[in-house]
Amino acid sequence: MQHTVVERELELQLILSADHSFPVPARLGYRSDDPYAVHIAFHVTSEQPVNWTFSRDLLVEGVFRPCGQGDVKVWPTKVDGRGVVLMALSSPDGEALLQAPAAQLAAWLERTLRAVPPGSEAELLGMDGALDQLLAR
């Protein structure tokens, strides 16, 4: 079976304070063989990128309204009249607040939704067939 990959390079802003931020190149990735997840590789000053995996549904919802709990919170807002999406990430290694341009993030998410429409993820993973086999025993 052919898998679809939807990627995009995007410059995010790491927010350090109300007055200070700096650009962080990122690669957004989505694969139809992992249909519930989106992956973001942040290219910070370390040799290896910092990788985070999010629920695709969380990121889609976060474009429109505040959502998330725990390690990842996502919400839309405006900065200087431009629509942006903020992502608050926390891990044992620290916390980060990242800002993404809403239109570019939404356009990439739309491509993932065309590749794998919402509600069709389980079919791609063959979960229905596996569940039927399990329950038949």
Side-chain angles (χ1 to χ4, degrees):
M1 176 178 204
Q2 181 73 23
H3 292 294
T4 302
V5 176
V6 181
E7 290 185 323
R8 167 149 198 176
E9 297 287 336
L10 192 60
E11 186 174 276
L12 307 180
Q13 293 293 318
L14 177 62
I15 309 298
L16 301 175
S17 70
D19 300 326
H20 293 89
S21 66
F22 70 87
V24 175
R27 176 184 294 265
L28 310 178
Y30 178 79
R31 299 175 50 94
S32 63
D33 61 343
D34 188 9
Y36 291 104
V38 295
H39 306 276
I40 304 180
F42 302 104
H43 299 280
V44 290
T45 55
S46 60
E47 278 187 35
Q48 297 296 318
V50 175
N51 296 298
W52 276 77
T53 301
F54 302 84
S55 154
R56 179 174 70 164
D57 289 346
L58 174 76
L59 210 49
V60 168
E61 185 177 345
V63 169
F64 299 101
R65 69 188 68 79
C67 65
Q69 55 188 341
D71 295 346
V72 180
K73 295 180 180 77
V74 183
W75 67 97
T77 191
K78 289 206 180 291
V79 173
D80 299 327
R82 293 180 309 115
V84 297
V85 176
L86 294 174
M87 295 174 276
L89 311 178
S90 85
S91 77
D93 295 328
E95 296 184 352
L97 179 60
L98 293 146
Q99 175 182 299
Q104 293 171 330
L105 180 61
W108 175 76
L109 284 166
E110 179 63 32
R111 288 176 46 214
T112 76
L113 295 169
R114 281 196 306 271
V116 179
S120 69
E121 297 94 345
E123 297 165 28
L124 285 172
L125 296 176
M127 291 173 74
D128 291 338
L131 191 60
D132 288 345
Q133 285 181 334
L134 186 66
L135 295 175
R137 292 183 187 162

Short mmCIF file of all heavy atoms in Angstrom, two decimals, residues 48-112:
data_model
loop_
_atom_site.label_atom_id
_atom_site.label_comp_id
_atom_site.label_asym_id
_atom_site.label_seq_id
_atom_site.Cartn_x
_atom_site.Cartn_y
_atom_site.Cartn_z
N GLN A 48 20.97 17.87 16.64
CA GLN A 48 19.77 17.13 16.22
C GLN A 48 18.54 17.99 16.44
O GLN A 48 18.46 18.73 17.42
CB GLN A 48 19.64 15.84 17.03
CG GLN A 48 20.78 14.87 16.82
CD GLN A 48 20.85 14.37 15.38
OE1 GLN A 48 19.84 14.06 14.77
NE2 GLN A 48 22.05 14.31 14.84
N PRO A 49 17.56 17.89 15.55
CA PRO A 49 16.32 18.65 15.78
C PRO A 49 15.60 18.14 17.02
O PRO A 49 15.80 17.00 17.44
CB PRO A 49 15.50 18.39 14.51
CG PRO A 49 16.08 17.18 13.89
CD PRO A 49 17.50 17.09 14.33
N VAL A 50 14.77 18.98 17.59
CA VAL A 50 13.91 18.60 18.70
C VAL A 50 12.58 18.18 18.08
O VAL A 50 11.95 18.95 17.37
CB VAL A 50 13.71 19.77 19.68
CG1 VAL A 50 12.71 19.40 20.77
CG2 VAL A 50 15.05 20.20 20.27
N ASN A 51 12.18 16.94 18.32
CA ASN A 51 10.98 16.39 17.69
C ASN A 51 9.83 16.32 18.68
O ASN A 51 10.00 15.87 19.81
CB ASN A 51 11.27 14.98 17.15
CG ASN A 51 12.30 15.01 16.05
OD1 ASN A 51 12.07 15.62 15.02
ND2 ASN A 51 13.44 14.38 16.27
N TRP A 52 8.68 16.76 18.22
CA TRP A 52 7.44 16.64 18.99
C TRP A 52 6.40 15.98 18.11
O TRP A 52 6.35 16.21 16.91
CB TRP A 52 6.94 18.02 19.42
CG TRP A 52 7.59 18.50 20.67
CD1 TRP A 52 8.85 19.02 20.78
CD2 TRP A 52 7.04 18.52 21.98
NE1 TRP A 52 9.10 19.35 22.08
CE2 TRP A 52 7.99 19.06 22.84
CE3 TRP A 52 5.80 18.14 22.50
CZ2 TRP A 52 7.77 19.23 24.20
CZ3 TRP A 52 5.58 18.32 23.86
CH2 TRP A 52 6.56 18.85 24.69
N THR A 53 5.55 15.17 18.74
CA THR A 53 4.43 14.53 18.05
C THR A 53 3.14 15.01 18.71
O THR A 53 3.04 15.02 19.94
CB THR A 53 4.54 13.00 18.13
OG1 THR A 53 5.79 12.61 17.52
CG2 THR A 53 3.40 12.33 17.40
N PHE A 54 2.21 15.45 17.88
CA PHE A 54 0.92 15.96 18.34
C PHE A 54 -0.19 15.12 17.73
O PHE A 54 -0.03 14.56 16.66
CB PHE A 54 0.67 17.39 17.84
CG PHE A 54 1.70 18.41 18.20
CD1 PHE A 54 2.84 18.54 17.45
CD2 PHE A 54 1.50 19.25 19.27
CE1 PHE A 54 3.78 19.51 17.77
CE2 PHE A 54 2.44 20.21 19.60
CZ PHE A 54 3.58 20.34 18.84
N SER A 55 -1.34 15.15 18.37
CA SER A 55 -2.55 14.64 17.75
C SER A 55 -2.93 15.60 16.62
O SER A 55 -2.95 16.82 16.82
CB SER A 55 -3.67 14.59 18.79
OG SER A 55 -4.93 14.69 18.18
N ARG A 56 -3.20 15.07 15.44
CA ARG A 56 -3.61 15.95 14.34
C ARG A 56 -4.88 16.70 14.72
O ARG A 56 -5.01 17.90 14.46
CB ARG A 56 -3.83 15.14 13.05
CG ARG A 56 -4.29 16.04 11.89
CD ARG A 56 -4.38 15.33 10.59
NE ARG A 56 -5.48 14.38 10.53
CZ ARG A 56 -5.96 13.86 9.41
NH1 ARG A 56 -5.41 14.18 8.24
NH2 ARG A 56 -6.95 13.00 9.44
N ASP A 57 -5.82 16.02 15.37
CA ASP A 57 -7.07 16.67 15.79
C ASP A 57 -6.81 17.85 16.71
O ASP A 57 -7.49 18.88 16.62
CB ASP A 57 -8.00 15.67 16.49
CG ASP A 57 -8.58 14.64 15.54
OD1 ASP A 57 -8.51 14.84 14.31
OD2 ASP A 57 -9.12 13.63 16.04
N LEU A 58 -5.83 17.72 17.61
CA LEU A 58 -5.50 18.81 18.53
C LEU A 58 -5.02 20.04 17.76
O LEU A 58 -5.46 21.15 18.03
CB LEU A 58 -4.42 18.35 19.52
CG LEU A 58 -3.86 19.42 20.45
CD1 LEU A 58 -4.86 19.73 21.55
CD2 LEU A 58 -2.54 18.96 21.04
N LEU A 59 -4.15 19.83 16.79
CA LEU A 59 -3.62 20.95 16.03
C LEU A 59 -4.71 21.59 15.16
O LEU A 59 -4.80 22.81 15.07
CB LEU A 59 -2.44 20.49 15.17
CG LEU A 59 -1.36 21.51 14.88
CD1 LEU A 59 -0.89 22.22 16.13
CD2 LEU A 59 -0.19 20.83 14.19
N VAL A 60 -5.56 20.75 14.55
CA VAL A 60 -6.67 21.28 13.74
C VAL A 60 -7.60 22.12 14.62
O VAL A 60 -7.96 23.25 14.26
CB VAL A 60 -7.45 20.14 13.05
CG1 VAL A 60 -8.76 20.64 12.45
CG2 VAL A 60 -6.59 19.49 11.96
N GLU A 61 -7.97 21.60 15.78
CA GLU A 61 -8.87 22.35 16.67
C GLU A 61 -8.20 23.63 17.16
O GLU A 61 -8.85 24.68 17.26
CB GLU A 61 -9.28 21.48 17.87
CG GLU A 61 -10.30 22.17 18.75
CD GLU A 61 -10.78 21.33 19.92
OE1 GLU A 61 -10.56 20.10 19.93
OE2 GLU A 61 -11.39 21.92 20.83
N GLY A 62 -6.89 23.56 17.43
CA GLY A 62 -6.17 24.72 17.95
C GLY A 62 -6.07 25.88 16.98
O GLY A 62 -5.81 27.01 17.39
N VAL A 63 -6.29 25.64 15.71
CA VAL A 63 -6.33 26.72 14.72
C VAL A 63 -7.57 27.59 14.95
O VAL A 63 -7.57 28.78 14.67
CB VAL A 63 -6.30 26.16 13.28
CG1 VAL A 63 -6.60 27.22 12.25
CG2 VAL A 63 -4.94 25.52 13.00
N PHE A 64 -8.63 26.98 15.51
CA PHE A 64 -9.92 27.67 15.67
C PHE A 64 -10.24 28.10 17.10
O PHE A 64 -10.93 29.09 17.31
CB PHE A 64 -11.06 26.77 15.17
CG PHE A 64 -10.93 26.43 13.72
CD1 PHE A 64 -10.44 25.20 13.33
CD2 PHE A 64 -11.25 27.36 12.74
CE1 PHE A 64 -10.30 24.89 11.98
CE2 PHE A 64 -11.11 27.07 11.41
CZ PHE A 64 -10.62 25.82 11.02
N ARG A 65 -9.78 27.31 18.10
CA ARG A 65 -10.14 27.61 19.50
C ARG A 65 -9.09 27.01 20.43
O ARG A 65 -8.40 26.07 20.05
CB ARG A 65 -11.52 27.05 19.82
CG ARG A 65 -11.62 25.54 19.86
CD ARG A 65 -13.06 25.04 19.99
NE ARG A 65 -13.86 25.30 18.82
CZ ARG A 65 -13.85 24.59 17.70
NH1 ARG A 65 -13.06 23.55 17.59
NH2 ARG A 65 -14.62 24.89 16.69
N PRO A 66 -8.98 27.55 21.64
CA PRO A 66 -8.01 27.00 22.59
C PRO A 66 -8.33 25.53 22.90
O PRO A 66 -9.49 25.16 23.08
CB PRO A 66 -8.20 27.86 23.85
CG PRO A 66 -8.85 29.12 23.36
CD PRO A 66 -9.69 28.71 22.18
N CYS A 67 -7.29 24.72 22.95
CA CYS A 67 -7.49 23.31 23.27
C CYS A 67 -6.19 22.73 23.82
O CYS A 67 -5.14 23.36 23.79
CB CYS A 67 -7.97 22.53 22.04
SG CYS A 67 -6.77 22.45 20.71
N GLY A 68 -6.29 21.51 24.28
CA GLY A 68 -5.13 20.81 24.81
C GLY A 68 -5.05 20.90 26.31
O GLY A 68 -5.67 21.74 26.94
N GLN A 69 -4.28 19.98 26.85
CA GLN A 69 -4.02 19.96 28.28
C GLN A 69 -2.72 19.22 28.50
O GLN A 69 -2.22 18.55 27.60
CB GLN A 69 -5.17 19.31 29.04
CG GLN A 69 -5.51 17.93 28.54
CD GLN A 69 -6.78 17.40 29.18
OE1 GLN A 69 -7.20 17.89 30.22
NE2 GLN A 69 -7.38 16.39 28.59
N GLY A 70 -2.15 19.36 29.65
CA GLY A 70 -0.91 18.66 29.92
C GLY A 70 0.26 19.26 29.16
O GLY A 70 0.50 20.47 29.23
N ASP A 71 0.97 18.43 28.38
CA ASP A 71 2.21 18.82 27.73
C ASP A 71 2.04 19.76 26.54
O ASP A 71 2.98 20.44 26.15
CB ASP A 71 2.96 17.59 27.24
CG ASP A 71 3.42 16.70 28.38
OD1 ASP A 71 3.40 17.17 29.54
OD2 ASP A 71 3.80 15.55 28.13
N VAL A 72 0.86 19.75 25.93
CA VAL A 72 0.65 20.54 24.71
C VAL A 72 -0.66 21.31 24.80
O VAL A 72 -1.72 20.72 25.01
CB VAL A 72 0.63 19.63 23.46
CG1 VAL A 72 0.41 20.47 22.20
CG2 VAL A 72 1.90 18.81 23.33
N LYS A 73 -0.55 22.63 24.63
CA LYS A 73 -1.74 23.48 24.56
C LYS A 73 -1.59 24.32 23.29
O LYS A 73 -0.51 24.79 22.97
CB LYS A 73 -1.84 24.38 25.78
CG LYS A 73 -2.06 23.63 27.08
CD LYS A 73 -2.16 24.57 28.25
CE LYS A 73 -2.37 23.83 29.54
NZ LYS A 73 -1.17 23.21 30.08
N VAL A 74 -2.69 24.49 22.57
CA VAL A 74 -2.68 25.19 21.29
C VAL A 74 -3.86 26.16 21.26
O VAL A 74 -4.96 25.81 21.69
CB VAL A 74 -2.80 24.19 20.11
CG1 VAL A 74 -2.70 24.89 18.77
CG2 VAL A 74 -1.75 23.08 20.22
N TRP A 75 -3.61 27.39 20.77
CA TRP A 75 -4.71 28.35 20.66
C TRP A 75 -4.41 29.40 19.61
O TRP A 75 -3.26 29.76 19.39
CB TRP A 75 -5.03 28.99 22.00
CG TRP A 75 -3.98 29.88 22.57
CD1 TRP A 75 -3.91 31.24 22.48
CD2 TRP A 75 -2.82 29.49 23.33
NE1 TRP A 75 -2.79 31.72 23.13
CE2 TRP A 75 -2.10 30.65 23.66
CE3 TRP A 75 -2.31 28.26 23.75
CZ2 TRP A 75 -0.92 30.64 24.39
CZ3 TRP A 75 -1.12 28.23 24.47
CH2 TRP A 75 -0.46 29.42 24.79
N PRO A 76 -5.48 29.90 18.97
CA PRO A 76 -5.30 30.97 17.97
C PRO A 76 -5.32 32.34 18.65
O PRO A 76 -5.96 32.52 19.70
CB PRO A 76 -6.52 30.80 17.07
CG PRO A 76 -7.59 30.30 18.01
CD PRO A 76 -6.86 29.44 19.03
N THR A 77 -4.66 33.31 18.05
CA THR A 77 -4.70 34.69 18.53
C THR A 77 -4.25 35.59 17.39
O THR A 77 -4.00 35.12 16.28
CB THR A 77 -3.85 34.87 19.81
OG1 THR A 77 -4.14 36.15 20.37
CG2 THR A 77 -2.37 34.75 19.52
N LYS A 78 -4.18 36.87 17.66
CA LYS A 78 -3.68 37.83 16.67
C LYS A 78 -2.47 38.55 17.26
O LYS A 78 -2.45 38.88 18.44
CB LYS A 78 -4.75 38.84 16.29
CG LYS A 78 -5.87 38.24 15.46
CD LYS A 78 -6.52 39.29 14.60
CE LYS A 78 -7.64 38.72 13.75
NZ LYS A 78 -7.20 37.83 12.71
N VAL A 79 -1.46 38.76 16.42
CA VAL A 79 -0.28 39.53 16.79
C VAL A 79 -0.06 40.55 15.69
O VAL A 79 0.08 40.17 14.52
CB VAL A 79 0.96 38.62 16.95
CG1 VAL A 79 2.21 39.45 17.17
CG2 VAL A 79 0.76 37.63 18.10
N ASP A 80 -0.09 41.82 16.04
CA ASP A 80 0.05 42.90 15.06
C ASP A 80 -0.95 42.75 13.92
O ASP A 80 -0.62 42.95 12.75
CB ASP A 80 1.48 42.95 14.50
CG ASP A 80 2.52 43.22 15.59
OD1 ASP A 80 2.18 43.96 16.55
OD2 ASP A 80 3.64 42.71 15.48
N GLY A 81 -2.17 42.32 14.25
CA GLY A 81 -3.22 42.18 13.26
C GLY A 81 -3.16 40.92 12.41
O GLY A 81 -4.01 40.70 11.57
N ARG A 82 -2.15 40.09 12.63
CA ARG A 82 -2.01 38.85 11.86
C ARG A 82 -2.47 37.66 12.70
O ARG A 82 -2.17 37.59 13.89
CB ARG A 82 -0.53 38.60 11.47
CG ARG A 82 0.03 39.60 10.48
CD ARG A 82 1.50 39.28 10.14
NE ARG A 82 2.32 39.10 11.35
CZ ARG A 82 2.90 37.96 11.70
NH1 ARG A 82 2.79 36.89 10.98
NH2 ARG A 82 3.62 37.89 12.82
N GLY A 83 -3.16 36.73 12.06
CA GLY A 83 -3.57 35.51 12.75
C GLY A 83 -2.38 34.60 12.97
O GLY A 83 -1.61 34.32 12.05
N VAL A 84 -2.22 34.15 14.20
CA VAL A 84 -1.16 33.21 14.54
C VAL A 84 -1.76 32.11 15.41
O VAL A 84 -2.84 32.26 15.98
CB VAL A 84 0.03 33.88 15.27
CG1 VAL A 84 0.70 34.92 14.38
CG2 VAL A 84 -0.39 34.49 16.59
N VAL A 85 -1.02 31.01 15.50
CA VAL A 85 -1.39 29.92 16.39
C VAL A 85 -0.24 29.75 17.38
O VAL A 85 0.92 29.64 16.96
CB VAL A 85 -1.63 28.61 15.61
CG1 VAL A 85 -1.91 27.45 16.55
CG2 VAL A 85 -2.79 28.78 14.63
N LEU A 86 -0.58 29.77 18.66
CA LEU A 86 0.43 29.58 19.70
C LEU A 86 0.40 28.14 20.18
O LEU A 86 -0.68 27.54 20.30
CB LEU A 86 0.19 30.54 20.86
CG LEU A 86 0.38 32.01 20.54
CD1 LEU A 86 -0.03 32.88 21.71
CD2 LEU A 86 1.82 32.30 20.16
N MET A 87 1.59 27.59 20.43
CA MET A 87 1.73 26.23 20.95
C MET A 87 2.60 26.30 22.19
O MET A 87 3.75 26.71 22.11
CB MET A 87 2.38 25.32 19.92
CG MET A 87 1.56 25.11 18.67
SD MET A 87 2.44 24.15 17.41
CE MET A 87 3.38 25.46 16.63
N ALA A 88 2.02 25.93 23.33
CA ALA A 88 2.78 25.88 24.59
C ALA A 88 3.16 24.42 24.82
O ALA A 88 2.29 23.56 24.92
CB ALA A 88 1.95 26.42 25.74
N LEU A 89 4.45 24.15 24.86
CA LEU A 89 4.95 22.80 25.02
C LEU A 89 5.69 22.70 26.35
O LEU A 89 6.46 23.60 26.70
CB LEU A 89 5.94 22.45 23.89
CG LEU A 89 5.47 22.76 22.47
CD1 LEU A 89 6.56 22.41 21.48
CD2 LEU A 89 4.20 22.01 22.16
N SER A 90 5.48 21.62 27.07
CA SER A 90 6.24 21.44 28.30
C SER A 90 6.68 19.98 28.38
O SER A 90 5.96 19.07 27.99
CB SER A 90 5.43 21.87 29.52
OG SER A 90 4.60 20.85 29.97
N SER A 91 7.91 19.81 28.87
CA SER A 91 8.49 18.48 29.04
C SER A 91 9.38 18.54 30.26
O SER A 91 9.65 19.63 30.79
CB SER A 91 9.30 18.10 27.79
OG SER A 91 10.55 18.76 27.80
N PRO A 92 9.91 17.40 30.70
CA PRO A 92 10.85 17.44 31.82
C PRO A 92 12.09 18.29 31.50
O PRO A 92 12.74 18.79 32.41
CB PRO A 92 11.23 15.98 32.01
CG PRO A 92 10.07 15.21 31.45
CD PRO A 92 9.54 16.04 30.32
N ASP A 93 12.38 18.49 30.22
CA ASP A 93 13.55 19.29 29.83
C ASP A 93 13.29 20.79 29.82
O ASP A 93 14.22 21.58 29.69
CB ASP A 93 14.03 18.87 28.43
CG ASP A 93 14.54 17.44 28.42
OD1 ASP A 93 15.09 16.99 29.44
OD2 ASP A 93 14.37 16.77 27.39
N GLY A 94 12.03 21.20 29.92
CA GLY A 94 11.74 22.63 29.92
C GLY A 94 10.42 22.93 29.23
O GLY A 94 9.66 22.04 28.89
N GLU A 95 10.20 24.22 29.03
CA GLU A 95 8.96 24.68 28.41
C GLU A 95 9.29 25.62 27.27
O GLU A 95 10.34 26.26 27.27
CB GLU A 95 8.09 25.41 29.44
CG GLU A 95 7.64 24.51 30.56
CD GLU A 95 6.70 25.19 31.53
OE1 GLU A 95 6.50 26.41 31.43
OE2 GLU A 95 6.15 24.49 32.39
N ALA A 96 8.39 25.67 26.28
CA ALA A 96 8.58 26.57 25.15
C ALA A 96 7.23 27.08 24.69
O ALA A 96 6.22 26.36 24.75
CB ALA A 96 9.27 25.84 23.99
N LEU A 97 7.21 28.33 24.24
CA LEU A 97 6.03 28.91 23.63
C LEU A 97 6.40 29.27 22.20
O LEU A 97 7.31 30.06 21.97
CB LEU A 97 5.57 30.16 24.39
CG LEU A 97 4.34 30.88 23.82
CD1 LEU A 97 3.12 29.95 23.81
CD2 LEU A 97 4.04 32.13 24.63
N LEU A 98 5.74 28.64 21.25
CA LEU A 98 6.03 28.83 19.84
C LEU A 98 4.85 29.46 19.13
O LEU A 98 3.69 29.17 19.47
CB LEU A 98 6.38 27.50 19.18
CG LEU A 98 7.70 26.92 19.70
CD1 LEU A 98 7.64 25.43 19.73
CD2 LEU A 98 8.84 27.41 18.85
N GLN A 99 5.15 30.29 18.16
CA GLN A 99 4.12 30.98 17.38
C GLN A 99 4.27 30.59 15.92
O GLN A 99 5.36 30.67 15.36
CB GLN A 99 4.32 32.49 17.54
CG GLN A 99 3.41 33.34 16.72
CD GLN A 99 3.75 34.81 16.93
OE1 GLN A 99 3.66 35.31 18.04
NE2 GLN A 99 4.16 35.48 15.88
N ALA A 100 3.15 30.16 15.32
CA ALA A 100 3.14 29.77 13.91
C ALA A 100 2.19 30.68 13.15
O ALA A 100 1.14 31.07 13.69
CB ALA A 100 2.69 28.32 13.76
N PRO A 101 2.50 31.01 11.90
CA PRO A 101 1.55 31.79 11.09
C PRO A 101 0.31 30.93 10.81
O PRO A 101 0.42 29.84 10.27
CB PRO A 101 2.33 32.10 9.81
CG PRO A 101 3.52 31.21 9.81
CD PRO A 101 3.73 30.69 11.19
N ALA A 102 -0.86 31.44 11.21
CA ALA A 102 -2.09 30.64 11.15
C ALA A 102 -2.42 30.20 9.72
O ALA A 102 -2.78 29.04 9.50
CB ALA A 102 -3.25 31.43 11.74
N ALA A 103 -2.31 31.09 8.75
CA ALA A 103 -2.71 30.74 7.38
C ALA A 103 -1.83 29.61 6.82
O ALA A 103 -2.34 28.68 6.19
CB ALA A 103 -2.64 31.96 6.47
N GLN A 104 -0.53 29.67 7.05
CA GLN A 104 0.37 28.64 6.53
C GLN A 104 0.16 27.31 7.25
O GLN A 104 0.17 26.25 6.63
CB GLN A 104 1.82 29.10 6.63
CG GLN A 104 2.12 30.27 5.70
CD GLN A 104 3.49 30.87 5.97
OE1 GLN A 104 4.00 30.85 7.08
NE2 GLN A 104 4.09 31.42 4.92
N LEU A 105 -0.04 27.36 8.57
CA LEU A 105 -0.29 26.14 9.33
C LEU A 105 -1.61 25.51 8.89
O LEU A 105 -1.69 24.31 8.65
CB LEU A 105 -0.32 26.45 10.83
CG LEU A 105 -0.58 25.27 11.75
CD1 LEU A 105 0.50 24.20 11.60
CD2 LEU A 105 -0.68 25.73 13.20
N ALA A 106 -2.65 26.33 8.74
CA ALA A 106 -3.96 25.82 8.33
C ALA A 106 -3.91 25.23 6.92
O ALA A 106 -4.53 24.20 6.66
CB ALA A 106 -5.01 26.93 8.41
N ALA A 107 -3.16 25.85 6.01
CA ALA A 107 -3.05 25.32 4.64
C ALA A 107 -2.38 23.95 4.65
O ALA A 107 -2.80 23.03 3.93
CB ALA A 107 -2.26 26.30 3.76
N TRP A 108 -1.33 23.78 5.48
CA TRP A 108 -0.67 22.48 5.57
C TRP A 108 -1.61 21.44 6.19
O TRP A 108 -1.71 20.32 5.69
CB TRP A 108 0.62 22.61 6.39
CG TRP A 108 1.28 21.29 6.62
CD1 TRP A 108 2.00 20.57 5.70
CD2 TRP A 108 1.23 20.50 7.80
NE1 TRP A 108 2.42 19.39 6.28
CE2 TRP A 108 1.96 19.33 7.56
CE3 TRP A 108 0.66 20.69 9.05
CZ2 TRP A 108 2.13 18.34 8.51
CZ3 TRP A 108 0.82 19.70 10.01
CH2 TRP A 108 1.54 18.54 9.74
N LEU A 109 -2.33 21.82 7.25
CA LEU A 109 -3.28 20.89 7.87
C LEU A 109 -4.37 20.49 6.88
O LEU A 109 -4.78 19.33 6.84
CB LEU A 109 -3.90 21.51 9.12
CG LEU A 109 -2.99 21.53 10.35
CD1 LEU A 109 -3.56 22.45 11.42
CD2 LEU A 109 -2.78 20.13 10.90
N GLU A 110 -4.82 21.43 6.06
CA GLU A 110 -5.82 21.13 5.04
C GLU A 110 -5.30 20.06 4.07
O GLU A 110 -6.04 19.16 3.67
CB GLU A 110 -6.20 22.41 4.28
CG GLU A 110 -7.23 22.20 3.18
CD GLU A 110 -8.58 21.71 3.68
OE1 GLU A 110 -8.99 22.06 4.81
OE2 GLU A 110 -9.24 20.96 2.93
N ARG A 111 -4.02 20.14 3.71
CA ARG A 111 -3.43 19.12 2.84
C ARG A 111 -3.45 17.75 3.52
O ARG A 111 -3.69 16.73 2.87
CB ARG A 111 -2.00 19.50 2.46
CG ARG A 111 -1.94 20.65 1.46
CD ARG A 111 -0.53 21.11 1.14
NE ARG A 111 0.40 20.03 0.86
CZ ARG A 111 1.70 20.05 1.18
NH1 ARG A 111 2.24 21.10 1.78
NH2 ARG A 111 2.47 19.02 0.89
N THR A 112 -3.20 17.71 4.84
CA THR A 112 -3.24 16.41 5.54
C THR A 112 -4.66 15.87 5.57
O THR A 112 -4.87 14.66 5.47
CB THR A 112 -2.68 16.50 6.99
OG1 THR A 112 -3.62 17.12 7.86
CG2 THR A 112 -1.34 17.20 7.04
#
